[in-house]
Amino acid sequence: MFGTTRRGLMLGAGAAAMGLALPRHAFAQETIKIAGIYTVPVEQQWVSRIHIAAEAAKAAGGVDYTYTENVANTDYPRVMREYCESGVNLIVGEIFGAEAEAREVCAEYPDVKFLLGSSFMPDEAVPNLAVFDNYIQDASYLSGIIAGAMTQTGSIGMVGGFPIPEVNRLMNAFMAGARETRPDAKFQVSFIGSWFDPPKAKETAFAMIDGGADLLYAERFGVSDAAKEKGALAIGNVIDTQADYPDTVVASALWHFEPTLNAALEAIRAGSFKADNYGVYSFMKAGGCSLAPLGTFEGKVPEAAMKLVAEKEAAIKDGSFTVAIDDTEPKSS
């Protein structure tokens, strides 16, 4: 079950391109064995960022990486135990649907380090478990500024997976950004109850377009497909899909997992890994998120909006402006 697969040229190329800021002494140290455990395919946008960062660390040397994808939440603890018994040093993944059981496994294997996506904070009683989340509200806010400037009707559709903090905060930041350039913007918000169901996301997006939305926030795969078919615009999330939707995806809020993983590897090397919140490494000032280049939409976004984006981005990076972290469930307006 531990066989590593290679999923697509995009992931392989991304791993090579994103190998930045790796520990300088990685080659001189003992190899760190990393295991990734994912509840969805590694193509799924959120998990793909973890996978690409781990592949980049492996390519740079000093790290061995294997993974298992499509693990059901009910099976997650078993897979964790199998990897622990196999002698891995670090397990990465996401435990949003298996919090209690996964934390029990972490406590059972104190010599293994865990870096897991979680909606809850670390617990000092489990010192070998550090948590993270994609706190990319900074980039989401900036993408919202662009969205507000690009919608013609003022009606924006938003399709998410589940209304949990890591989704809610991005949606709320996006909505706040959109109101900067379109104060009267109205939002249709819906959650499909799945992390990977493109057909359902697409149908939900179709309904929003029929309801007047001319721009969609694509938190899930499938939304941009609907926008493309109906001639609407879309804003991407976590990854840049503009190459696949050159006339549809205006901008995207990108997540970069490299700072998070590299910080964990440094701590392991230094013997200082502990229960900690690694979410801060997703902030823009830490290099954990960014706004994707406009690409095919360069010159098509109003100049005033892009000026505001530049001003807000500079303020975020120098600490003079902070994007609010609002984890409450967003509602349609």
Side-chain angles (χ1 to χ4, degrees):
M1 62 158 281
F2 296 136
T4 301
T5 60
R6 292 293 179 268
R7 293 303 205 88
L9 294 175
M10 180 184 73
L11 291 175
M18 296 302 293
L20 46 89
L22 285 163
R24 292 183 178 180
H25 50 292
F27 291 96
Q29 299 291 330
E30 181 179 350
T31 297
I32 295 177
K33 296 180 180 179
I34 302 176
I37 308 175
Y38 310 122
T39 62
V40 293
V42 291
E43 289 94 345
Q44 190 262 9
Q45 58 262 59
W46 195 90
V47 160
S48 75
R49 311 313 289 173
I50 304 173
H51 178 69
I52 287 171
E55 288 282 18
K58 178 181 178 180
V63 164
D64 180 42
Y65 169 59
T66 188
Y67 67 92
T68 302
E69 57 188 346
N70 292 316
V71 177
N73 286 323
T74 53
D75 210 26
Y76 208 95
R78 178 188 64 79
V79 179
M80 288 176 70
R81 289 188 176 93
E82 290 189 14
Y83 271 126
C84 288
E85 293 292 341
S86 76
V88 300
N89 307 112
L90 173 66
I91 290 179
V92 297
E94 85 281 11
I95 56 172
F96 300 104
E99 290 278 354
E101 298 85 351
R103 287 172 183 257
E104 289 177 1
V105 176
C106 295
E108 292 173 16
Y109 294 91
D111 294 332
V112 179
K113 312 303 181 186
F114 298 86
L115 180 64
L116 301 173
S118 171
S119 294
F120 298 94
M121 289 294 103
D123 183 353
E124 292 184 359
V126 190
N128 57 326
L129 168 61
V131 300
F132 67 87
D133 211 338
N134 64 325
Y135 284 87
I136 64 169
Q137 66 281 343
D138 298 329
S140 297
Y141 171 82
L142 298 181
S143 72
I145 292 175
I146 293 174
M150 293 298 285
T151 177
Q152 298 297 312
T153 65
S155 178
I156 298 174
M158 307 184 70
V159 181
F162 293 90
I164 65 171
E166 74 102 4
V167 174
N168 297 345
R169 72 175 67 104
L170 306 189
M171 284 188 163
N172 285 320
F174 172 86
M175 294 165 78
R179 292 189 181 105
E180 293 279 6
T181 47
R182 188 68 185 249
D184 64 343
K186 301 297 181 183
F187 302 93
Q188 300 177 54
V189 181
S190 184
F191 299 92
I192 63 172
S194 172
W195 291 129
F196 195 74
D197 191 343
K200 188 173 183 179
K202 185 177 180 179
E203 288 302 316
T204 302
F206 276 149
M208 291 179 172
I209 295 171
D210 290 342
D214 68 340
L215 187 145
L216 301 170
Y217 176 74
E219 201 271 329
R220 292 292 101 196
F221 278 154
V223 177
S224 294
D225 294 292
K228 179 180 178 180
E229 289 187 25
K230 293 290 188 176
L233 298 177
I235 299 292
N237 180 59
V238 175
I239 63 175
D240 186 1
T241 58
Q242 194 185 74
D244 298 318
Y245 309 94
D247 300 317
T248 303
V249 175
V250 183
S252 298
L254 307 183
W255 182 32
H256 308 297
F257 191 68
E258 288 74 15
T260 303
L261 181 59
N262 293 339
L265 293 175
E266 288 283 9
I268 291 172
R269 298 285 192 202
S272 60
F273 189 92
K274 62 180 181 180
D276 207 349
N277 177 20
Y278 277 65
V280 295
Y281 295 104
S282 290
F283 285 28
M284 182 168 282
K285 60 185 178 182
C289 68
S290 68
L291 191 64
L294 292 182
T296 55
F297 280 86
E298 191 71 45
K300 298 179 183 179
V301 179
E303 184 178 344
M306 293 312 300
K307 181 180 178 181
L308 181 59
V309 166
E311 292 172 353
K312 292 294 187 180
E313 181 175 358
I316 289 169
K317 289 180 177 178
D318 69 22
S320 60
F321 175 72
T322 300
V323 177
I325 297 175
D326 182 358
D327 289 348
T328 61
E329 181 177 342
K331 303 293 184 180
S332 297
S333 54

